[in-house]
Amino acid sequence: MFNIINLKEVTSTMDVIKNYPVNTIVVADRQTKGRGKNDREWISNESENLYISLSVESKNKNVNYSYYTFLSSVVVIEAIKSLITEDINIKSKWPNDVLVNGKKFCGILLERDLQRNFIVIGIGINVNSHPELIDKMLFKPTNLLEEGISIKKEEILEKFVNIFEEYSNRLLNEGFEWLRKEWLKYAYNLGKEINVKLKDLQVNGIFEDIDKDGTLLIMTEAGIAKILSGDIF
Ligand code: BTN
């Protein structure tokens, strides 16, 4: 289903993918202008890590744009788990990070190509190295190798593509409910107290659930709060 394009150095795979038809995966060894959520930089000068973008069509009514972050997190987790035998502490952090041993090694960025009706999913995986913690980062970074998980980036990519194809077909055919349950199996701090940073305020409460739109539901002193976007920290 996906056409895979391997490139050495790009500004950002998020930009380069716009030169290709839908259902393309662009993989780059390095990015000179890698970007993350909220215009944060995604440092990408190490060819030993994975930087990929995928384009998918956004026409299907069953599929809300945000479902692709849940899908990508679950696929990253299952790809990694399928490559190792030992048990690992790997978690999906709402809405778009993946953690190992409580530290971030993978970030997911969703953008829309409105002209062509595409969704572009960008995924950065720190396989063998990670940037130093800087102020703008809300979560401590790490890489898989440092956490004792030694796998090749090519192996992760191959598994990722296979599982992504299978699960995205399932999402199109069956909708979000099975994926919501699958994502919740790995959810970081589910049932525990969390802090969520919104644009201008912070909300504290117990992480209860995510609803059928992917909205975060937390129990605060004032009752259930539905949060559409923010950062858990
Ligand atoms: C985040 O955690 O804020 C999301 C980070 C997304 C990084 C990836 S790396 C591949 C793709 N190209 C980019 O410029 N960003 C995404």
Side-chain angles (χ1 to χ4, degrees):
M1 176 187 159
F2 284 101
N3 182 24
I4 303 183
I5 311 284
N6 284 290
L7 299 170
K8 286 259 168 278
E9 185 172 296
V10 297
T11 49
S12 163
T13 54
M14 302 304 280
D15 298 330
V16 171
I17 199 157
K18 296 189 176 144
N19 303 328
Y20 296 93
V22 73
N23 295 329
T24 295
I25 300 184
V26 171
V27 188
D29 281 347
R30 283 189 190 79
Q31 302 184 112
T32 52
K33 284 200 175 125
R35 58 179 182 264
K37 222 175 114 181
N38 300 330
D39 287 330
R40 286 192 282 256
E41 184 186 2
W42 187 263
I43 298 166
S44 322
N45 44 17
E46 301 286 351
S47 62
E48 49 198 7
N49 292 330
L50 260 179
Y51 311 110
I52 65 177
S53 288
L54 305 82
S55 59
V56 294
E57 238 168 330
S58 62
K59 280 192 196 128
N60 193 295
K61 279 204 220 92
N62 260 346
V63 177
N64 176 326
Y65 164 77
S66 74
Y67 295 166
Y68 281 101
T69 43
F70 296 95
L71 181 74
S72 304
S73 305
V74 168
V75 175
V76 167
I77 292 174
E78 295 196 0
I80 291 170
K81 280 169 70 84
S82 74
L83 291 165
I84 54 175
T85 46
E86 59 275 31
D87 248 2
I88 49 167
N89 173 13
I90 193 163
K91 298 281 179 198
S92 48
K93 182 167 85 70
W94 184 90
N96 60 349
D97 295 334
V98 190
L99 310 178
V100 63
N101 298 329
K103 289 167 265 177
K104 174 167 168 172
F105 75 95
C106 168
I108 297 158
L109 179 68
L110 234 58
E111 290 180 358
R112 272 190 242 229
D113 183 334
L114 291 171
Q115 276 174 347
R116 298 196 298 173
N117 219 5
F118 290 2
I119 296 173
V120 178
I121 309 155
I123 301 170
I125 301 182
N126 297 334
V127 182
N128 292 300
S129 69
H130 66 269
E132 290 307 310
L133 180 68
I134 53 167
D135 275 358
K136 277 193 233 159
M137 289 178 189
L138 291 170
F139 235 76
K140 200 171 183 298
T142 193
N143 69 77
L144 292 173
L145 187 63
E146 182 154 309
E147 303 303 324
I149 302 165
S150 173
I151 31 184
K152 291 202 176 80
K153 69 172 188 174
E154 294 78 12
E155 290 176 321
I156 303 177
L157 180 65
E158 192 189 340
K159 287 281 179 197
F160 177 88
V161 175
N162 290 340
I163 304 174
F164 191 96
E165 285 186 351
E166 182 191 334
Y167 283 15
S168 57
N169 283 333
R170 200 167 161 204
L171 178 65
L172 295 174
N173 294 329
E174 296 175 30
F176 182 54
E177 188 50 25
W178 67 274
L179 178 60
R180 192 182 75 86
K181 290 198 181 117
E182 199 67 14
W183 185 92
L184 281 168
K185 281 205 313 213
Y186 300 116
Y188 171 72
N189 275 353
L190 182 66
K192 297 196 183 136
E193 171 126 30
I194 54 170
N195 298 312
V196 189
K197 189 174 182 303
L198 312 182
K199 231 178 176 177
D200 302 315
L201 85 160
Q202 192 179 308
V203 182
N204 305 321
I206 305 291
F207 177 2
E208 292 283 328
D209 207 347
I210 53 167
D211 77 3
K212 56 180 176 8
D213 303 322
T215 307
L216 178 71
L217 302 176
I218 68 174
M219 179 60 81
T220 68
E221 283 176 359
I224 286 278
K226 284 180 73 126
I227 299 181
L228 287 170
S229 77
D231 277 303
I232 294 182
F233 67 101

